[in-house]
């Protein structure tokens, strides 16, 4: 992997971000710069035209709600490259630049004989965004395959390398969503893919898709099954603006869950290793009657209540108002607080 440090710096003014967020909101940036090398990033931040202005780092824009124009500089991370790093007796190590498309990277690992990420197929966004959100799906979180990352500290211009402990991964959470927010631009991520591969095929939807296929349980078969399930259940952002699952699945303690189950015997739940219980946010939203409902051009998807969509012309503020109405109803009925997954700007 190599990054060129000699590319000219191009700052664009009054730039629409419609193509750089999967909701398709027509928010505008006062300044915009496509970043193809770490040095470009530092040069952009030190340009006299943006002195003193706030900055926003964007990748694929698949986990952001732009509620307004951004009166600062937007840095679009477009660093490219992926490579096999090394191996030991237990694992292969592969690295990808932050601007690489996540799904394409997962497909590349399988094509090169490095399984382990197949359950995370078709998750929108870039490699650099994956650690920020600690993306997860169908029984696997990215943190389980993470080794380390490199990032630019934007104030000092220094490159830092962080391991899993330093990234403080949690459920759809990391250091970069909390104390590290707006401080760093991730430039590359290295993954540790165990040689002792074992399938993660316990989710009913994935198991059914595997049965409908060739009946094999190989990394490629799981990849194909996950892709089929996601395409059947989730709208394509290219045709219907959305950011995937909008809310985290809430986790409650055992006592709160038993009280809920006494009132709602059909509640969908998943026991956790620490004794707490994860609830299905989509089920809670559906029970409150929100699936398929709209507030103007902002709506809840008719097949998946976790997904909020832009039917055309909605603003980020309108989607946020819809989310808050859903949160209110779930809180009133179940006494449970739903937390949004996307970052609100």
């Amino acid at each position: 992997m190599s990054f060129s440090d000699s590319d000219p710096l191009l700052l664009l003014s009054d730039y629409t971000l419609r193509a750089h967020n999967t909701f398709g909101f027509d928010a505008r940036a006062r300044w915009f710069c496509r970043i193809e090398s770490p040095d470009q990033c530092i040069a952009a931040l030190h340009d006299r035209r943006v002195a003193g202005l706030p900055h926003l780092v964007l990748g694929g824009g698949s986990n952001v709600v732009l509620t307004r124009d951004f009166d600062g500089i937007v840095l679009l991370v477009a660093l490219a490259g992926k490579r096999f790093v090394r191996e030991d007796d237990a694992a292969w190590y592969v690295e990808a630049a932050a601007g690489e498309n996540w799904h394409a990277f997962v497909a590349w690992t399988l094509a090169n004989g490095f399984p382990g990420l197949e359950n995370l197929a078709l998750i929108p966004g870039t490699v650099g965004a994956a650690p920020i959100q600690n993306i997860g799906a169908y029984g696997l979180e990215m943190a389980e395959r993470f080794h380390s990352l490199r990032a630019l500290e934007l104030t000092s211009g220094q490159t830092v390398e962080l391991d899993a402990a330093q990234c403080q991964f949690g459920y759809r959470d990391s250091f970069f969503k909390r104390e590290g927010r707006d401080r760093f631009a991730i430039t590359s991520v290295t993954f540790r893919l165990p040689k002792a591969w074992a399938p993660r095929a316990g989710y009913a939807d994935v198991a059914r898709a595997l049965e409908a296929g060739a009946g094999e349980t190989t990394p490629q078969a799981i990849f194909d099954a996950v892709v089929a399930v996601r395409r059947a259940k989730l709208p394509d952002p290219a045709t219907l603006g959305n950011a995937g699952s909008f809310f985290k699945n809430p986790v409650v303690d055992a006592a709160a869950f038993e009280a809920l189950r006494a009132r709602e015997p059909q509640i969908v739940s998943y026991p956790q290793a620490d004794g707490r219980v994860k609830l299905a946010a989509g089920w809670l939203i559906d029970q409150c009657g929100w699936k398929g409902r709209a507030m103007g051009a902002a709506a809840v998807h008719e097949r998946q209540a976790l997904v909020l969509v832009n039917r055309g012309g909605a603003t980020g503020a309108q989607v946020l108002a819809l989310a808050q109405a859903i949160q209110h109803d779930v809180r009133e009925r179940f006494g449970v607080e739903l937390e949004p997954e996307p970052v609100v700007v």
Side-chain angles (χ1 to χ4, degrees), residues 50-123:
V50 302
L53 295 178
H55 60 263
L56 173 66
V57 178
L58 274 185
S62 60
N63 196 49
V64 64
V65 181
L66 301 173
T67 60
R68 55 183 171 79
D69 291 341
F70 189 74
D71 189 24
I73 180 169
V74 170
L75 305 167
L76 182 74
V77 177
L79 290 86
K82 46 191 180 287
R83 67 184 180 111
F84 168 73
V85 178
R86 63 184 176 89
E87 65 180 297
D88 55 30
D89 290 342
W92 297 287
Y93 298 80
V94 294
E95 181 185 22
E100 289 286 334
N101 175 272
W102 173 261
H103 175 67
F105 170 64
V106 174
W108 176 87
T109 62
L110 289 183
N112 284 275
F114 309 127
L117 295 174
E118 55 280 345
N119 288 61
L120 306 182
L122 212 63
I123 293 178

Side-chain angles (χ1 to χ4, degrees), residues 25-273:
F25 299 137
D26 190 22
R28 305 188 77 82
R30 182 171 173 182
W31 294 100
F32 176 89
C33 188
R34 178 183 172 89
I35 301 299
E36 297 181 351
S37 74
D39 279 4
Q40 269 192 342
C41 185
I42 299 305
L45 290 174
H46 285 84
D47 190 283
R48 59 179 177 75
R49 290 169 288 181
V50 302
L53 295 178
H55 60 263
L56 173 66
V57 178
L58 274 185
S62 60
N63 196 49
V64 64
V65 181
L66 301 173
T67 60
R68 55 183 171 79
D69 291 341
F70 189 74
D71 189 24
I73 180 169
V74 170
L75 305 167
L76 182 74
V77 177
L79 290 86
K82 46 191 180 287
R83 67 184 180 111
F84 168 73
V85 178
R86 63 184 176 89
E87 65 180 297
D88 55 30
D89 290 342
W92 297 287
Y93 298 80
V94 294
E95 181 185 22
E100 289 286 334
N101 175 272
W102 173 261
H103 175 67
F105 170 64
V106 174
W108 176 87
T109 62
L110 289 183
N112 284 275
F114 309 127
L117 295 174
E118 55 280 345
N119 288 61
L120 306 182
L122 212 63
I123 293 178
T126 58
V127 168
I132 297 173
Q133 180 75 353
N134 185 19
I135 58 174
Y138 303 110
L140 180 71
E141 282 192 342
M142 185 232 58
E144 295 181 63
R145 301 288 186 253
F146 177 88
H147 178 262
S148 61
L149 62 77
R150 288 190 177 92
L152 277 178
E153 188 175 26
L154 297 176
T155 52
S156 69
Q158 298 299 307
T159 296
V160 298
E161 185 162 341
L162 303 179
D163 61 18
Q166 291 168 308
C167 290
Q168 301 174 24
F169 294 123
Y171 171 55
R172 302 297 178 270
D173 193 28
S174 73
F175 164 78
F176 299 99
K177 291 184 76 172
R178 292 177 276 106
E179 300 94 323
R181 183 172 175 178
D182 298 327
R183 287 177 52 197
F184 298 91
I186 294 171
T187 56
S188 69
V189 186
T190 299
F191 299 88
R192 180 185 183 276
L193 304 179
K195 292 181 176 179
W197 180 82
R200 300 278 182 96
Y203 272 71
D205 288 342
V206 174
R208 281 192 293 268
L210 285 168
E211 290 172 8
E216 299 177 321
T217 308
T218 63
Q220 187 64 50
I222 292 175
F223 176 94
D224 293 339
V226 168
V227 168
V229 169
R230 291 185 71 90
R231 284 183 172 154
K233 295 181 67 174
L234 301 172
D236 182 353
T239 57
L240 185 63
N242 73 93
S245 298
F246 197 91
F247 296 103
K248 298 180 183 181
N249 289 321
V251 180
V252 300
D253 63 38
F257 172 69
E258 291 303 329
L260 264 174
R261 187 163 62 174
R263 302 199 318 266
E264 306 277 352
Q266 303 303 312
I267 193 167
V268 178
S269 62
Y270 310 96
Q272 303 297 289

